[in-house]
Amino acid sequence: MGAARYSGEFKRDAVALVESSGRRIPSVARELGVNPESLRQWGARSRAEVATSGARGEGPLNPVEREELRRLRKQVRELEREILRKAAA
């Protein structure tokens, strides 16, 4: 059985999903049908790239951008909870 090949875009999107949703890697990996260790490694590589080249070549986030990111992540979590509550009703 050979190793699955995923595009760079898929890997970036999977890592972004973990980071933006606040969910754990195994949960996201299960949802996407990938090995949790693979997703963990993609995240580590992504963080290493950001550390050496800035956030996708744009440099690190300034305090205003960091606060906006924090606020948006919180909003995403709240919306996810709201969607789950409505689905359960």
Side-chain angles (χ1 to χ4, degrees), residues 14-15 18 24-27 29 34-47:
V15 170
V18 171
R24 296 191 175 273
I25 289 174
S27 170
V34 300
N35 184 306
E37 189 56 35
S38 295
L39 183 51
R40 190 171 285 110
Q41 289 175 2
W42 300 341
R45 284 189 200 120
S46 175
R47 287 186 297 279

Side-chain angles (χ1 to χ4, degrees), residues 10-11 13 36-37 40-41 54 73-74 80 88:
F10 178 85
K11 293 176 184 180
D13 290 347
E37 189 56 35
R40 190 171 285 110
Q41 289 175 2
R73 285 182 176 165
K74 181 179 177 183
E80 286 176 338

Side-chain angles (χ1 to χ4, degrees), residues 10-68:
F10 178 85
K11 293 176 184 180
R12 283 189 301 276
D13 290 347
V15 170
L17 180 59
V18 171
E19 292 172 350
S20 67
S21 70
R23 293 170 36 212
R24 296 191 175 273
I25 289 174
S27 170
V28 174
R30 213 176 8 262
E31 180 181 315
L32 298 175
V34 300
N35 184 306
E37 189 56 35
S38 295
L39 183 51
R40 190 171 285 110
Q41 289 175 2
W42 300 341
R45 284 189 200 120
S46 175
R47 287 186 297 279
E49 287 175 10
V50 168
T52 59
S53 67
R56 294 199 164 97
E58 299 171 1
L61 297 177
N62 66 43
V64 173
E65 293 170 328
R66 192 174 316 280
E67 177 59 28
E68 181 181 16

